[in-house]
Amino acid sequence: MAGPRVVIIGAGVVGAALADEISARGWTEVTVVDQGPLPATGGSSSHAPGLVFQTNSSKTMTELARYTVEKLRSLDVDGRPCFLQVGGLEVATTPERLAELRRRHGWITSWGVEGRLLSPEECVEQHPLVDPDRVLGGLLIPTDGLAKAVLAVEAQIRRATGRGVRFLARHEVLDVRQSEGRVTGVVTDQGELGADIVVCCAGIWGPRIARMVGMNLPLTPLAHQLAWTGPVPALAGQTEEAVRPILRHQDADLYYRDRFDGLGIGYYGHRPMPVSADDILSVDEAERMPSVLKFTEDDFADAWTETQSLLPATKESEIAEGINGLFSFTTDNFPLLGESLDVKGFWVAEAVWVTHSAGVGRAMAEWLVDGHCSSFDLHECDVNRFEPHQLAPEYVLARDCRNFEEVYDIIHPLQPSGDPRPIRKSPFHSRQQEHGAFFLEANGWERPQWYEANASLVEGRSIPTPNDWAARYWSPVVGAEAQVTRETVALYDMTALKRLEVSGPGAAGFLERMATGKVAKSVGSVTYTLLLDHDGGIRSDITVARLGRDLFQVGANGNLDLDWFTRHLPADGTVQVRDITPGTCCIGLWGPLARKALQPLTDDDFSNDGLKYFRARRAHIGSVPVTAMRLSYVGELGWELYTTADLGQKLWDTLWAAAEPLGGVVAGRGAFNSLRLEKGYRSFGTDMTYEHDPYEAGVGFAVKLDKEDFIGKAALERRKADVRRRLTCLTVDDPRAVVMGKEPVYDGDRPVGYVTSAAYGHTIGKGIAYAWLPADLAVPGTTVHIGYFDQRVEAAVAEEPLFDPAMSRLRG
């Protein structure tokens, strides 16, 4: 099949990869346009140093890089290889970085890529220019290497051209045509091209192209310094371009690569140098190429001094040339992939570096041709993941510049992301400040992690202190708040969770089609259910409360759920979906004394018979109208209480006045996470993602296959009988060995899986870690080990839930 008419804007490493991958899948009516010459078009691909390091805290990003390595290794242009697999070496010059390399080794092991920790002597063996007195150790990834980006573009252009794809050089895009909410063509300075699908792979020009269809792309081009030395005497006679591993000295924001008898030096330690996409010169205006700006020597001075210290042989050389090269940065360091919500057929594949280019090409080709991506979990990369405030120019610029500064920093999993902050505050914020809240950020919301006002509760309790890494952004108050929740009652701010309203005469049928569970039940019902993709993978887990005949409230996980619902709305207008999060708030009132605190505040019946588990009702708490749902993600009696933002503080004050005399507390996210893991409650995006199905993830109970139909049902029926891995509960006896997530799990010396969520269980008195393991190991009593920095932590597979398996506390 020729497929639809596709126009790809940009013929760099991403556009060329997509053209190759999509034509290999049978879509050949494809045209690729670029304002520059081919194959060196003048964008970031044309000057990129080509370093491919696969190590990443994201499984998806590592897998995209791994595919890029595999593909580029297989390509050549007239015998010239497109990839030089010389390996990648990261060195540590501080104890903190050495520990970080051990953590990074854990990531790469978790994601199935070979890596090896090296002694200082072994580092020097790999890269003899390194001063042995400077390094404490290193991490070697043998399959890393140098991508020859321009050659890779040319190789993939040749392959795609052989299948009928057209490449049009020197075609500047002036506009993207659209009609009735769909793309119809691309206008260039040499004529118009009709199109059913347009994919923007324009890189640093992406924001400018996206604006042509009214799309706000949160991307900033920033200049990054790259310099080349003259001949280094110690390298004299080197006739191969690269023989040593590419080298990263992240303690000083530096990387190095061979170039025959000289070195390339990349530097991230200088001031951020953002450039507007509108200010980038055209191909004809640029002195060298549009993505290359004048080298600013003063910004590079510290880099050269440090280079001569780490690599003493460079003292006999000098900087021969340098550039400030433009690359794309985003607010969360992930690419921007997917289709515009507002203009059908307009897709983007942006903020993609050479490292991930071929993987993104394959992912996008699958998504376009098949309707979903089967090879990679793309939830972190979907361009529609952002909240509205995250698209504000001020926010985008500040976060993108900060991410440039932190490229090589050691980032703790809970580390706050910095300014601009605060952005979103719940109606309870001032009260939380009065209680000494320690805030972290969640979707822009200031969310308490714990409250210093509860510090006195720690005395007399057994709350072990975790290891140094886990103890960052932690307090023993977390344990006290968790224990008091189980003893009395606690107030939790749940405002940061996304809330959607689905309404209209077609709402019930629509949600039945979207969700795996039966949600069109009686008014007042609440259902825990799943959203699946067409391949049966989990897109989200949600709660659906039926508040009226044609009115539902959905507890969602983020903006991608809103995007998914919106894309599937019936064309007849019988269903409306809107985000009600900003105008509402939520308090979780949970604990064995929750009813004792709540019932005196209302004339409505909150007895066990009056409002059963997983039921909802409208009520008044004091003078505040609320929607009360009898749910609890901490495993205790209680309710989620929703009201409008203007009444939120009144609701807080009313509940606190009732809970405090009972010994109640306000509690934060640290306690919440510990309690939810004791109950085995999954967190989408952490414990399960698009790549997992419900039966693997242990949420098969939320699937009702006897329903007539729902998205993903057919695929799920095929997958149900072949469960090869399971999300598994592990317990750890050592109270200091609290892991953080993403660590590898070993069966003997064999890596077999990885940790998702972890915390200390302050009720059960053990560490808890959920992990993906082969099904044959997910048997209670099995002993495994978790790789944590330089330790192997013994863990045991346990029956779940660990707390209250009879559910008596929830249903009482």
Side-chain angles (χ1 to χ4, degrees):
M1 65 172 183
R5 297 171 303 165
V6 179
V7 173
I8 298 171
I9 301 172
V13 284
V14 181
L18 175 56
D20 180 34
E21 295 282 345
I22 204 169
S23 60
R25 285 164 175 76
W27 282 15
T28 55
E29 197 164 336
V30 178
T31 302
V32 184
V33 297
D34 200 292
Q35 64 182 336
L38 298 176
T41 62
S44 300
S45 303
S46 301
H47 75 259
L51 283 73
V52 176
F53 281 94
Q54 297 165 86
T55 307
N56 197 290
S57 62
S58 163
K59 183 173 184 282
T60 296
M61 296 298 280
T62 292
E63 290 176 340
L64 291 170
R66 178 165 53 193
Y67 180 79
T68 300
V69 168
E70 292 169 355
K71 181 176 183 180
L72 297 192
R73 277 192 66 210
S74 71
L75 300 179
D76 70 87
V77 176
D78 301 329
R80 291 175 292 166
C82 294
F83 192 78
L84 307 177
Q85 199 161 52
V86 292
L89 174 64
E90 301 178 44
V91 294
T93 59
T94 64
E96 294 79 13
R97 182 66 61 178
L98 186 61
E100 172 71 356
L101 293 187
R102 290 166 178 155
R103 185 168 72 118
R104 294 170 67 80
H105 180 247
W107 294 341
I108 208 76
T109 303
S110 291
W111 315 147
V113 176
E114 179 191 355
R116 186 158 56 92
L117 291 166
L118 303 184
S119 68
E121 295 75 20
E122 290 172 318
C123 291
V124 176
E125 287 176 12
Q126 291 290 328
H127 204 297
L129 296 189
V130 171
D131 182 350
D133 295 329
R134 287 291 314 276
V135 297
L136 303 179
L139 172 61
L140 177 70
I141 309 299
T143 52
D144 286 347
L146 289 168
K148 306 290 291 179
V150 175
L151 280 180
V153 168
E154 185 173 355
Q156 292 174 102
I157 286 176
R158 290 186 181 186
R159 284 159 53 118
T161 301
R163 303 185 191 104
V165 174
R166 288 194 304 162
F167 285 82
L168 303 179
R170 295 286 186 174
H171 280 59
E172 182 182 358
V173 173
L174 304 178
D175 197 11
V176 178
R177 297 282 194 214
Q178 53 182 301
S179 176
E180 298 181 351
R182 289 203 64 91
V183 296
T184 59
V186 173
V187 180
T188 77
D189 59 353
Q190 298 192 44
E192 185 168 342
L193 302 165
D196 304 304
I197 293 172
V198 174
V199 188
C200 178
C201 303
I204 54 179
W205 290 277
R208 193 166 79 191
I209 300 296
R211 278 202 308 273
M212 294 176 182
V213 297
M215 188 176 185
N216 189 351
L217 206 62
L219 178 158
T220 303
L222 281 115
H224 158 57
Q225 291 199 300
L226 176 64
W228 300 96
T229 70
V232 177
L235 303 181
Q238 182 174 318
T239 57
E240 294 182 58
E241 179 178 353
V243 297
R244 280 164 291 278
I246 48 178
L247 177 66
R248 281 206 279 194
H249 175 27
Q250 291 167 296
D251 285 320
D253 299 305
L254 285 161
Y255 64 77
Y256 305 93
R257 55 149 295 178
D258 285 9
R259 188 173 71 168
F260 300 103
D261 63 351
L263 291 175
I265 307 169
Y267 186 45
Y268 287 105
H270 56 79
R271 60 192 168 91
M273 305 178 196
V275 176
S276 169
D278 296 321
D279 294 334
I280 301 171
L281 297 177
S282 69
V283 172
D284 293 328
E285 292 173 323
E287 181 177 339
R288 180 171 172 182
M289 65 179 73
S291 62
V292 170
L293 307 181
K294 184 179 179 180
F295 187 60
T296 50
E297 293 183 13
D298 289 348
D299 291 304
F300 196 74
D302 290 344
W304 183 230
T305 299
E306 179 60 24
T307 295
Q308 292 174 310
S309 173
L310 182 73
L311 310 175
T314 58
K315 293 177 182 178
E316 301 179 61
S317 182
E318 60 184 16
I319 299 299
E321 59 177 316
I323 64 171
N324 288 4
L326 295 178
F327 289 94
S328 299
F329 280 78
T330 63
T331 57
D332 58 5
N333 291 317
F334 286 101
L336 307 173
L337 312 179
E339 185 184 21
S340 164
L341 180 60
D342 300 316
V343 180
K344 303 301 181 188
F346 184 83
W347 292 70
V348 300
E350 289 288 343
V352 181
W353 292 6
V354 174
T355 300
H356 309 103
S357 57
V360 166
R362 176 174 180 173
M364 291 297 296
E366 290 179 354
W367 200 349
L368 287 161
V369 175
D370 302 332
H372 62 271
C373 177
S374 56
S375 295
F376 309 97
D377 162 34
L378 297 181
H379 85 275
E380 294 169 309
C381 306
D382 194 310
V383 70
N384 296 292
R385 64 190 179 268
F386 300 103
E387 296 290 321
H389 74 273
Q390 294 172 322
L391 300 175
E394 178 187 39
Y395 179 95
V396 172
L397 180 61
R399 289 293 170 93
D400 289 355
C401 287
R402 182 182 177 94
N403 286 340
F404 176 89
E405 294 174 326
E406 294 181 344
V407 162
Y408 283 168
D409 284 5
I410 299 170
I411 305 294
H412 191 275
L414 296 179
Q415 185 167 316
S417 49
D419 292 332
R421 189 180 171 214
I423 295 178
R424 308 173 85 180
K425 296 188 287 189
S426 79
F428 324 130
H429 188 263
S430 63
R431 297 294 189 257
Q432 293 166 341
Q433 287 180 309
E434 292 168 6
H435 282 85
F438 179 85
F439 292 102
L440 296 179
E441 184 185 355
N443 296 323
W445 294 98
E446 294 295 309
R447 185 168 65 184
Q449 192 73 0
W450 70 83
Y451 295 88
E452 285 298 331
N454 295 326
S456 62
L457 298 175
V458 174
E459 187 175 351
R461 295 180 178 274
S462 176
I463 301 171
T465 300
N467 57 80
D468 292 346
W469 184 249
R472 296 187 190 183
Y473 307 103
W474 174 89
S475 166
V477 175
V478 167
E481 290 175 359
Q483 291 177 0
V484 172
T485 301
R486 296 252 188 258
E487 296 163 2
T488 58
V489 60
L491 278 66
Y492 287 84
D493 181 0
M494 304 301 290
T495 302
L497 300 182
K498 176 76 82 176
R499 293 172 291 286
L500 307 176
E501 180 183 272
V502 182
S503 61
F510 170 73
L511 288 170
E512 282 289 320
R513 165 72 177 150
M514 298 297 294
T516 61
K518 296 179 180 179
V519 298
K521 298 183 288 192
S522 62
V523 172
S525 64
V526 183
T527 306
Y528 174 82
T529 186
L530 307 173
L531 303 178
L532 303 183
D533 213 328
H534 296 278
D535 65 349
I538 301 170
R539 288 195 64 95
S540 189
D541 64 335
I542 60 174
T543 54
V544 180
R546 190 170 198 175
L547 303 181
R549 181 174 178 270
D550 299 326
L551 178 65
F552 296 80
Q553 181 172 313
V554 176
N557 281 298
N559 217 52
L560 288 180
D561 293 346
L562 174 61
D563 178 75
W564 186 249
F565 278 142
T566 303
R567 290 182 187 280
H568 289 85
L569 287 174
D572 59 10
T574 58
V575 184
Q576 295 80 46
V577 177
R578 68 186 185 102
D579 183 0
I580 61 172
T581 313
T584 57
C585 57
C586 179
I587 295 174
L589 182 73
W590 295 316
L593 301 185
R595 184 176 288 122
K596 189 172 182 180
L598 186 66
Q599 188 61 75
L601 304 176
T602 179
D603 293 334
D604 291 277
D605 184 3
F606 278 83
S607 68
N608 194 40
D609 291 332
L611 186 62
K612 294 184 181 295
Y613 186 53
F614 264 78
R615 298 289 297 179
R617 73 142 55 99
R618 298 279 175 76
H620 284 85
I621 305 301
S623 57
V624 180
V626 302
T627 299
M629 299 185 195
R630 191 170 166 195
L631 311 176
S632 171
Y633 280 86
V634 300
E636 293 291 338
L637 170 67
W639 301 267
E640 293 179 358
L641 301 170
Y642 300 88
T643 192
T644 52
D646 59 322
L647 293 169
Q649 190 173 101
K650 180 62 175 176
L651 177 61
W652 178 281
D653 290 344
T654 302
L655 293 172
W656 178 239
E660 185 181 24
L662 300 176
V665 296
V666 293
R669 189 69 179 182
F672 177 93
N673 198 48
S674 170
L675 296 170
R676 70 108 179 158
L677 287 176
E678 289 183 332
K679 282 298 293 180
Y681 293 144
R682 277 65 168 145
S683 174
F684 177 80
T686 302
D687 297 317
M688 54 191 186
T689 67
Y690 293 2
E691 68 174 301
H692 306 115
D693 71 45
Y695 304 108
E696 296 171 329
V699 289
F701 63 88
V703 177
K704 306 303 178 187
L705 287 176
D706 58 345
K707 283 179 59 173
E708 182 176 346
D709 198 16
F710 54 83
I711 293 175
K713 180 183 178 183
L716 200 58
E717 288 175 326
R718 293 191 296 270
R719 294 174 69 156
K720 182 179 181 181
D722 189 27
V723 176
R724 301 182 183 184
R725 58 182 175 179
R726 294 190 184 278
L727 184 61
T728 307
C729 179
L730 305 176
T731 58
V732 177
D733 290 335
D734 183 351
R736 281 189 53 81
V738 175
V739 301
M740 300 292 292
K742 303 186 178 182
E743 298 88 359
V745 180
Y746 294 87
D747 176 30
D749 291 328
R750 179 174 62 107
V752 291
Y754 59 92
V755 174
T756 58
S757 295
Y760 189 78
H762 293 281
T763 310
I764 66 167
K766 291 185 178 183
I768 306 168
Y770 271 77
W772 281 100
L773 294 180
D776 62 344
L777 289 177
V779 178
T782 302
T783 298
V784 293
H785 289 82
I786 301 170
Y788 187 63
F789 293 93
D790 58 346
Q791 305 172 34
R792 291 288 178 90
V793 177
E794 185 174 297
V797 176
E799 292 275 8
E800 58 174 328
L802 299 169
F803 177 78
D804 189 27
M807 305 281 280
S808 59
R809 296 172 75 103
L810 282 165
R811 299 179 183 277

